[in-house]
Amino acid sequence: MKSYKFIISGKVQGVYYRKSIADNANRAKLSGYIKNLPDGKVEAVVTCHEKRVNDFITILKSGSPTSKVTDIKQSSLGSLHTNGFEVR
């Protein structure tokens, strides 16, 4: 398993985006976290097998009913998160 970090841009703050992502990630049994950034973007980290990364990206793109994702940047991380998915 590996950890991946995503920076999500668009209308992603104040629209229940983080809660929607956390709910869907927990349903998919993924571990990690999601948090707002001061610049209006959102950071998400997930620990999963490489074959499940696209599942998480689909969750990020779907967001909440009132969110609008315009860009997702992905990078790899060294630390692993294994205690469920949380909003920070």
Side-chain angles (χ1 to χ4, degrees):
M1 295 214 314
K2 294 171 75 175
S3 288
Y4 304 89
K5 179 169 105 173
F6 302 87
I7 302 297
I8 303 99
S9 303
K11 185 179 176 187
V12 290
Q13 288 193 15
V15 291
Y16 296 98
Y17 182 78
R18 292 178 301 149
K19 177 159 180 18
S20 295
I21 299 306
D23 289 349
N24 288 323
N26 278 313
R27 272 195 284 280
K29 299 192 180 343
L30 296 168
S31 293
Y33 69 85
I34 190 163
K35 70 177 185 177
N36 283 338
L37 296 175
D39 62 1
K41 296 177 184 172
V42 169
E43 174 184 295
V45 171
V46 69
T47 298
C48 62
H49 292 286
E50 190 173 348
K51 63 184 176 187
R52 298 218 45 217
V53 173
N54 285 332
D55 295 340
F56 187 65
I57 292 171
T58 299
I59 291 171
L60 292 175
K61 287 179 180 177
S62 67
S64 69
T66 54
S67 66
K68 179 166 176 46
V69 174
T70 58
D71 188 47
I72 299 175
K73 299 212 182 314
Q74 177 182 339
S75 58
S76 294
L77 287 179
S79 60
L80 297 179
H81 301 272
T82 57
N83 292 341
F85 202 91
E86 67 179 359
V87 175
R88 291 188 176 172

